[in-house]
Amino acid sequence: MPVLVMKFGGTSVANLDRIKRAAKRVGVEVAKGYDVIVIVSAMSGKTNELVGWVNETSPLYDAREYDAIVSSGENVTAGLMALTLQEMDIPARSWQGWQVPVKTTSAHSAARIEEIPNENINAKFAEGMRVAVVAGFQGISPEGRITTLGRGGSDTTAVAFAAAFEAERCDIYTDVDGVYTTDPRITDKARKLDKIAFEEMLELASLGAKVLQTRSVELAMRNKVKLRVLSSFEEQSDDAGTLVCAEEEIMESNVVSGIAYSRDEAKMTLVSVADRPGIAAAIFGPLSDAGVNVDMIIQNIAEDGRTDMTFSCPTDQVKRAEKAMEDAKASGEINFHDLIADTEVAKISAVGIGMRSQSGVAAKMFKTLSDEGVNIKVIATSEIKISVLVDRKYMELAVQALHDAFELDKAA
Ligand code: ASP
Ligand code: MG
């Protein structure tokens, strides 16, 4: 029988009623003839609570115990989902990651899935089981310890199962009914997209459109898994939600498909560093070692052998970045006069695969912002994306203006 993967996020399994509602959706697909693999998250808020308990008990915790504790939320929902399905007379059972087994690396709290052997679950399907309910977000390391995949990791579990079982599709049930041209909370002109290319979704996911874990989209793209995002709160038809798919499946691509934003950005400038070979390595090496996720980088024009280096990173990593730079200065690796942190900025990005073949997108973006009197502090571009840093107080305005300028209210 064809296999379908259905993943239910935390809000979709937040209580017993919602688990029932989700189980009914599963029942619909079983009735169509699918063998279904259901991947569940923990009840919403549960993982945060568990992480809180870990931190309270042991601030410098053993990451292996962190994973043992934090993975438990999914075990509960997997068991409850299996019981709910059984109550509906659907043959189902639950599986924890290690039972499948979902084999991962030993990078605790950020493990990667290496292999999902499908024999155990397929043997049960062959015996008449119709639904395998798998606890998302978790696996087992080569050392036999429980691992987790990083926050939001059950999306990645779902895609990995879809690839391993050659599922027809991977449906991600969540609390929104699809991927939008921008955040509907910022403008009511935001439109749901019927289809979006993997690469666009990747940019939108990493830009903070929090629908899917970035890694799950990468994995789907690599394995050509058809991914659908849809709401578990509405009656669903076969073409509901947004299909995340290969570019070739999208007939007419929009020049810009979406405007993403990220509120918690900081801009940091190292004032007057020596302009010499190796200086960038001497700055960004220690930042990376300190776990700072540097995004945009600008090196200014040098004068008298000195230059300013500006980079952006998430606001909550500013302290870590400052410490890394002060330490590098103290050890003589780099020298700078000042380190200025501007924590009141936001990043706005226009994303679209159509940009590859269309010129003038950047010009239009900059003109739109200038017409609104919004000053651009940093610009970065890639083949399918243009990002700018602006003062955070203009974030909403900038998103709305760009959404209008690129006529995304007419998108579909
Ligand atoms: N429960 C985990 C988290 O909250 C994994 C997930 O829901 O995707 O991050
Ligand atoms: Mg999620």
Side-chain angles (χ1 to χ4, degrees):
M1 277 188 244
V3 172
L4 189 68
V5 172
M6 303 173 75
K7 182 255 171 179
F8 293 93
T11 49
S12 309
V13 293
N15 54 45
L16 299 184
D17 273 345
R18 292 208 181 150
I19 292 177
K20 252 187 216 158
R21 185 197 285 247
K24 275 195 196 130
R25 274 300 313 164
V26 176
V28 171
E29 302 295 354
V30 169
K32 284 184 202 160
Y34 288 108
D35 278 342
V36 179
I37 300 176
V38 172
I39 310 292
V40 286
S41 285
M43 291 179 175
S44 59
K46 192 68 207 174
T47 309
N48 287 343
E49 183 183 45
L50 294 167
V51 170
W53 288 348
V54 171
N55 286 319
E56 215 179 303
T57 308
S58 171
L60 293 172
Y61 52 77
D62 174 347
R64 292 163 300 192
E65 299 307 341
Y66 168 98
D67 279 352
I69 295 158
V70 168
S71 62
S72 67
E74 273 72 9
N75 298 344
V76 175
T77 43
L80 287 171
M81 176 65 83
L83 281 183
T84 309
L85 290 161
Q86 288 173 6
E87 287 295 320
M88 295 162 61
D89 290 327
I90 297 171
R93 70 157 269 196
S94 70
W95 304 74
Q96 294 182 7
W98 65 272
Q99 293 174 303
V100 175
V102 177
K103 296 185 183 172
T104 73
T105 61
S106 0
H108 285 278
S109 84
R112 283 180 173 267
I113 297 177
E114 304 224 285
E115 196 198 342
I116 303 179
N118 57 20
E119 294 80 17
N120 287 341
I121 287 181
N122 275 340
K124 290 288 169 196
F125 279 141
E127 285 171 20
M129 177 187 72
R130 298 302 308 281
V131 184
V133 186
V134 179
F137 178 54
Q138 52 172 266
I140 184 168
S141 73
E143 294 78 30
R145 302 295 303 255
I146 304 296
T147 53
T148 63
L149 310 179
R151 298 306 304 272
S154 46
D155 294 334
T156 301
T157 306
V159 172
F161 271 83
F165 286 80
E166 294 175 13
E168 196 168 293
R169 218 175 46 237
C170 180
D171 286 345
I172 307 278
Y173 284 87
T174 176
D175 49 3
V176 293
D177 60 353
V179 179
Y180 277 71
T181 50
T182 195
D183 186 341
R185 287 170 300 186
I186 290 197
T187 168
D188 54 16
K189 293 183 196 163
R191 294 282 298 267
K192 183 173 77 68
L193 294 161
D194 291 335
K195 284 185 180 180
I196 185 166
F198 286 127
E199 281 176 285
E200 292 174 322
M201 192 62 230
L202 215 43
E203 294 290 355
L204 294 172
S206 63
L207 293 173
K210 297 188 182 76
V211 203
L212 289 170
Q213 197 196 33
T214 306
R215 235 196 302 150
S216 70
V217 184
E218 280 165 9
L219 197 62
M221 179 156 107
R222 221 174 321 122
N223 293 286
K224 299 211 164 20
V225 170
K226 267 191 197 168
L227 200 58
R228 189 163 68 134
V229 176
L230 69 176
S231 164
S232 59
F233 298 106
E234 287 161 28
E235 290 304 315
Q236 294 298 2
S237 58
D238 280 347
D239 57 358
T242 300
L243 191 69
V244 189
C245 58
E247 212 175 310
E248 301 81 64
E249 290 179 49
I250 300 175
M251 296 290 276
E252 278 225 52
S253 55
N254 302 313
V255 179
V256 172
S257 294
I259 308 292
Y261 66 88
S262 154
R263 192 185 301 271
D264 297 311
E265 296 287 321
K267 168 174 163 263
M268 312 208 48
T269 303
L270 287 160
V271 181
S272 187
V273 291
D275 185 29
R276 58 164 174 85
I279 186 65
I283 292 171
F284 296 104
L287 285 171
S288 134
D289 292 343
V292 176
N293 296 317
V294 171
D295 180 23
M296 304 160 134
I297 298 174
I298 322 175
Q299 180 175 348
N300 291 345
I301 291 178
E303 212 176 309
D304 301 328
R306 303 199 74 84
T307 184
D308 295 345
M309 192 78 86
T310 299
F311 61 90
S312 71
C313 68
T315 322
D316 61 4
Q317 294 179 358
V318 165
K319 287 271 173 312
R320 223 187 287 173
E322 282 172 344
K323 176 155 191 324
M325 292 296 89
E326 294 300 342
D327 288 352
K329 189 179 184 179
S331 71
E333 283 166 65
I334 56 172
N335 198 344
F336 55 87
H337 287 175
D338 206 358
L339 176 54
I340 303 169
D342 179 354
T343 52
E344 293 295 311
V345 293
K347 182 171 67 172
I348 318 270
S349 308
V351 174
I353 45 176
M355 274 184 214
R356 288 201 195 108
S357 52
Q358 278 257 353
S359 58
V361 179
K364 186 166 180 174
M365 179 161 180
F366 304 153
K367 170 92 173 46
T368 305
L369 293 173
S370 103
D371 287 349
E372 297 291 334
V374 176
N375 188 31
I376 300 172
K377 301 185 149 196
V378 177
I379 301 170
T381 64
S382 78
E383 218 188 357
I384 64 161
K385 173 181 81 167
I386 304 164
S387 301
V388 296
L389 282 189
V390 301
D391 275 330
R392 189 171 306 141
K393 62 175 185 251
Y394 296 128
M395 190 185 82
E396 275 89 359
L397 173 69
V399 170
Q400 287 155 358
L402 292 170
H403 198 269
D404 283 346
F406 290 106
E407 302 185 4
L408 289 174
D409 51 329
K410 299 189 186 83

